[in-house]
Amino acid sequence: MTMPNTPGMPAQFTHRSAFEEAVLTVIGACNSELLLVDRDFHDWPLESPQGESVLGEWLRRDRRARVRLLVHEPAWLARRAPRLARLRRLHAEAFECRQLPDEAFDGSGLMLGDRLHVLKRAHFDSFRGALETGTASRARALWVQWDRVWQASPVCLPGTTLGL
């Protein structure tokens, strides 16, 4: 999958490789801001060598870049994601993780980038979903909705041992 040619026109994905490509596409299209929502991120490409490379390069491009992770079950990230943990240590100021409350988790996955790009995964046990790029009105509305959830969610997975 490549970026949709027409902003606002969703590109559908139905299998793992297309989902992974869509995630990497959003990271590559962004300048400074990512918000990701998922049950545990175990099947997102963030822990793959390519995902680590793309995300690491994105973080090095701009010191103001920020990644916010809303995770429903943080145990997998805490124990089984050494590449992401390394990026979180190297760019501690860029990452913040919060635990998604039960009442806010509907089983879907979401990635918002720069308030312009939306990746919506239908459910964590499926790779079906859609990628929309350049849809500022839709992305902003989702950002407002999820920013409220973010504010109500407790911090989890501190970037350093001391949580600083």
Side-chain angles (χ1 to χ4, degrees):
M1 173 187 304
T2 57
M3 295 269 289
N5 292 334
T6 307
M9 296 298 298
Q12 304 294 317
F13 52 86
T14 58
H15 55 282
R16 178 186 291 269
S17 63
F19 165 70
E20 290 176 354
E21 188 175 339
V23 170
L24 300 176
T25 295
V26 171
I27 295 170
C30 287
N31 291 315
S32 62
E33 202 170 26
L34 288 169
L35 173 65
L36 292 84
V37 181
D38 195 64
R39 178 183 69 165
D40 61 11
F41 295 104
H42 83 272
D43 53 9
W44 288 57
L46 304 174
E47 191 55 26
S48 71
Q50 184 180 13
E52 177 187 29
S53 175
V54 169
L55 188 55
E57 178 57 37
W58 180 77
L59 289 164
R60 286 186 292 277
R61 274 194 318 224
D62 187 344
R63 298 184 77 189
R64 296 169 297 171
R66 295 292 176 261
V67 179
R68 297 194 297 173
L69 300 171
L70 263 171
V71 59
H72 185 247
E73 300 171 10
W76 186 87
L77 281 178
R79 295 185 186 112
R80 310 274 322 248
R83 287 186 173 108
L84 191 57
R86 183 175 33 254
L87 282 175
R88 289 178 50 233
R89 277 191 309 275
L90 289 171
H91 303 279
E93 72 287 349
F95 278 91
E96 189 173 355
C97 299
R98 296 197 179 186
Q99 187 165 3
L100 187 60
D102 290 341
E103 64 274 7
F105 183 60
D106 65 1
S108 65
L110 180 71
M111 183 176 196
L112 300 173
D114 283 347
R115 302 172 195 243
L116 287 173
H117 313 295
V118 178
L119 180 148
K120 179 83 168 141
R121 183 176 175 185
H123 196 266
F124 65 80
D125 64 1
S126 166
F127 290 102
R128 291 182 307 107
L131 168 65
E132 295 181 56
T133 58
T135 55
S137 60
R138 176 165 159 73
R140 280 191 202 120
L142 284 167
W143 198 281
V144 168
Q145 172 191 344
W146 284 99
D147 195 50
R148 286 187 195 120
V149 174
W150 177 266
Q151 298 302 326
S153 300
V155 173
C156 68
L157 302 175
T160 67
T161 306
L162 297 175
L164 302 174

